[in-house]
Amino acid sequence: MSESLSLATAPLQQEGIPVADDPIIIGFGTVYLLIVIAIGVWGWKRTDSTSDFLITGKSIGTWVLALTAFSVIQSGFGFVGGPELVYEFGTTALWIFFTAPLGFLLTWIVLAKRMRLLADIRNVLTLPDAMYVRYESEWVRGLSGLAVALGVVAYLAVNLAALQFVMRAIFGIPVIWGLLGGALILLLYSMLGGMIAGVWTDFLQALTMIVGAGFVFAYAMSFGGGMENISRNLANADPALVSPFGTLGGAETAVLVGIAWWILFSVGAAGQPHLITKFYMSRDMTILKWGAPIAAISYAISSLIAFSAGLSMRAMVEAGEREATFAASEVGPVFVLDHTGSIIAGLILAALLAAIMSTSDSFLNIGAAAIARDIPRALGRPITDDRVELRVTQAALATLTVLATIVVFYSQALVGILGAISWGFFAAAFVPIVVLGLNWKGASKWGAIAALVVGMLFNIIYNVIPEAAAITDNGAVQSANEIVMWTYPYPAEVPAEAISLLVAMIVFIFVSIAAQQFTSPERKLPDDLHPLFER
């Protein structure tokens, strides 16, 4: 539950993060921003249609696809939210980082071929496009578009929350200006370059983050005195910090949390639209073969940043080797600035700027497409002119950026928890209708509609309402939250996102089977979609 996990931490806008004040780091940051903007301009010159803007015209190869897939999942969450969760809850967070690589393997196995085939069979551009083709229902298309738009606002907020810290660390500006300035640069970059720019920026920053993760791990082990010393210091402070399930809740609750996060971040990966729509972009089917291990291994290596920096910083604080003058959200940037050399710090922080920009670009593109393309089509008012649709899509980027900025400004949730909430929202909405729908001929449009509604409502009730209660004293909101907490059947520490995923899958299966029994006749699967179900 987001309310319980936000604990007593201060709001995201803080001034405790150190400032680089180093010409090398400032130079890296400046050059990287210029490169990002240059890639955006290059992408703009290559963007002539909505297809170019959203899926790069099916033009990318194996390594670019795999590293782009890994980087859109890692990004600001991995560098800010990851160390934050490890620092705050110890080994609890490792259930995310150990299981997420499995999510890449699962996603590739069950969806890569099918999503790419759909892009050829019906020339789909978005996830709601694909769901309309599968279920032949405007209700499914519209609800899918709504789910994408809502989830994008939360997910984009995660990256903007990380961006404000990085902007302050590099350039020394207050975090509020880092937030507003970063959002403005992001909007400019996204409106110019579309997905073409995002893919190549993803590729560049992915390579940089993999290299940087190795250096951060080495520095963290050195300053922490090695893993044995780090574990000893943590165990002396609280044995649960290095236990198999960490400190989030008591012994039994921590086990439930670990299992829930295992489900959420392995199975839930296949419901992330910013990941699975990347399969549309591959040049052909043959390049999909090695993408899964490349993405999984890359993610595992990059997770060394969260694992080592979070544990090392907590161990040093517990051993009295440094004061905790920072908030949990600032652990990643603080460690890099205080304990690595200028070149490594500049490289990592600059790469993170690129990561946030490119990942946010992916979110903005799928969210804007939902607003400008999917929802209007579901309402029977499609934009028929391609150039007009492209411009409306670009205009929708501004609305989403403003909404996400507002969420960051007012939210008190940890960056990592905000990331888990948005991940869970997408997982509950799309794992049932996409994974089961593209692997089971018996999947029904009624099951899809029911799963989408239940998945979204469950997350709104058990995540959004508690988060709203944490930032306002409004009596109605507080009363609603009391009812929500009373009706939640699990300990507050157990993430509602995982429960919503399981509930949505059960609803989807039950309603689909019921539809087969009570709907006469059940529609036949179109002939051109049969290849999707061939092994």
Side-chain angles (χ1 to χ4, degrees):
M1 303 288 285
S2 59
E3 180 186 51
S4 62
L5 291 177
S6 49
L7 304 176
T9 54
L12 294 174
Q13 288 72 34
Q14 301 174 57
E15 302 295 332
I17 191 170
V19 176
D21 194 24
D22 186 318
I24 294 178
I25 295 177
I26 294 172
F28 266 107
T30 302
V31 169
Y32 241 80
L33 277 180
L34 291 175
I35 290 174
V36 165
I37 293 174
I39 291 175
V41 173
W42 171 78
W44 173 63
K45 291 181 178 180
R46 295 191 55 177
T47 300
D48 296 319
S49 67
T50 305
S51 175
D52 291 336
F53 193 81
L54 295 178
I55 64 171
T56 74
K58 303 175 185 175
S59 62
I60 62 177
T62 302
W63 281 91
V64 177
L65 175 66
L67 293 181
T68 297
F70 131 68
S71 61
V72 297
I73 296 298
Q74 189 65 284
S75 66
F77 172 79
F79 185 76
V80 176
E84 166 193 63
L85 292 177
V86 174
Y87 180 88
E88 192 74 37
F89 304 120
T91 49
T92 301
L94 298 186
W95 283 89
I96 294 176
F97 298 112
F98 288 162
T99 57
L102 298 177
F104 288 105
L105 299 176
L106 173 65
T107 301
W108 246 265
I109 290 170
V110 300
L111 288 182
K113 173 186 173 182
R114 291 164 175 81
M115 295 292 286
R116 185 60 183 81
L117 278 173
L118 266 179
D120 283 340
I121 293 171
R122 297 288 187 92
N123 195 33
V124 296
L125 300 182
T126 66
L127 186 57
D129 271 351
M131 294 302 94
Y132 172 76
V133 169
R134 172 63 183 88
Y135 297 103
E136 295 185 332
S137 168
E138 294 292 0
W139 274 95
V140 174
R141 187 206 294 269
L143 288 170
S144 297
L146 178 62
V148 168
L150 292 176
V152 159
V153 172
Y155 234 135
L156 185 59
V158 175
N159 284 278
L160 289 178
L163 180 62
Q164 64 185 353
F165 292 134
V166 180
M167 292 287 284
R168 172 163 174 78
I170 295 176
F171 301 110
I173 58 179
V175 287
I176 183 60
W177 292 113
L179 171 63
L180 298 178
L184 182 61
I185 294 172
L186 167 63
L187 182 59
L188 175 64
Y189 162 74
S190 299
M191 291 184 69
L192 283 175
M195 195 62 75
I196 293 176
V199 162
W200 286 102
T201 310
D202 277 332
F203 181 70
L204 176 64
Q205 68 86 13
L207 295 176
T208 309
M209 290 296 287
I210 291 171
V211 174
F215 281 105
V216 169
F217 180 78
Y219 277 103
M221 292 299 101
S222 175
F223 282 99
M227 197 63 222
E228 182 179 354
N229 189 61
I230 290 173
S231 299
R232 185 185 305 112
N233 289 336
L234 293 174
N236 289 337
D238 182 356
L241 286 169
V242 289
S243 69
F245 295 97
T247 66
L248 193 52
E252 294 182 0
T253 299
V255 174
L256 289 176
V257 172
I259 294 173
W261 279 6
W262 180 85
I263 294 171
L264 184 61
F265 284 90
S266 56
V267 178
Q272 306 305 306
H274 50 295
L275 169 61
I276 59 181
T277 53
K278 292 288 186 290
F279 298 130
Y280 293 160
M281 304 177 191
S282 62
R283 280 198 303 267
D284 53 59
M285 297 290 295
T286 60
I287 69 173
L288 294 173
K289 182 178 180 181
W290 296 105
I294 294 172
I297 292 170
S298 299
Y299 184 95
I301 294 173
S302 69
S303 295
L304 292 174
I305 292 178
F307 167 74
S308 59
L311 291 182
S312 180
M313 288 287 277
R314 182 65 182 266
M316 285 189 282
V317 169
E318 296 295 351
E321 297 174 8
R322 67 168 297 158
E323 294 184 19
T325 57
F326 48 84
S329 298
E330 302 162 350
V331 166
V334 168
F335 179 84
V336 168
L337 287 173
D338 286 355
H339 298 292
T340 67
S342 296
I343 293 178
I344 299 301
L347 197 65
I348 292 173
L349 290 174
L352 183 60
L353 271 182
I356 293 171
M357 293 291 179
S358 55
T359 301
S360 299
D361 177 51
S362 294
F363 291 131
L364 282 171
N365 280 320
I366 63 173
I371 293 172
R373 176 184 174 86
D374 300 316
I375 294 176
R377 291 186 177 205
L379 296 174
R381 302 181 65 87
I383 301 173
T384 55
D385 186 279
D386 189 75
R387 296 293 295 178
V388 173
E389 184 179 59
L390 174 60
R391 297 303 172 225
V392 174
T393 300
Q394 291 171 319
L397 297 174
T399 302
L400 291 170
T401 303
V402 170
L403 289 175
T405 303
I406 292 172
V407 170
V408 176
F409 187 81
Y410 286 105
S411 177
Q412 296 183 43
L414 297 171
V415 179
I417 297 307
L418 194 59
I421 291 173
S422 49
W423 177 285
F425 188 89
F426 281 148
F430 294 120
V431 166
I433 71 170
V434 179
V435 175
L436 298 182
L438 295 182
N439 287 273
W440 176 33
K441 291 183 179 180
S444 160
K445 70 175 182 179
W446 301 111
I449 292 170
L452 282 164
V453 171
V454 170
M456 284 191 285
L457 285 179
F458 198 105
N459 275 284
I460 290 171
I461 292 171
Y462 290 103
N463 281 318
V464 177
I465 292 178
E467 176 59 22
I471 62 176
T472 180
D473 293 327
N474 181 276
V477 175
Q478 296 298 327
S479 297
N481 186 53
E482 290 178 6
I483 296 174
V484 167
M485 299 299 292
W486 180 72
T487 58
Y488 189 64
Y490 301 96
E493 294 84 0
V494 177
E497 302 88 3
I499 307 304
S500 67
L501 169 58
L502 296 175
V503 169
M505 292 181 71
I506 292 171
V507 167
F508 179 80
I509 294 171
F510 177 81
V511 175
S512 290
I513 292 174
Q516 294 174 11
Q517 299 297 320
F518 298 106
T519 303
S520 182
E522 182 71 3
R523 74 174 181 88
K524 291 180 61 178
L525 190 71
D527 291 339
D528 62 347
L529 295 189
H530 281 285
L532 296 178
F533 299 89
E534 296 175 358
R535 297 297 174 184

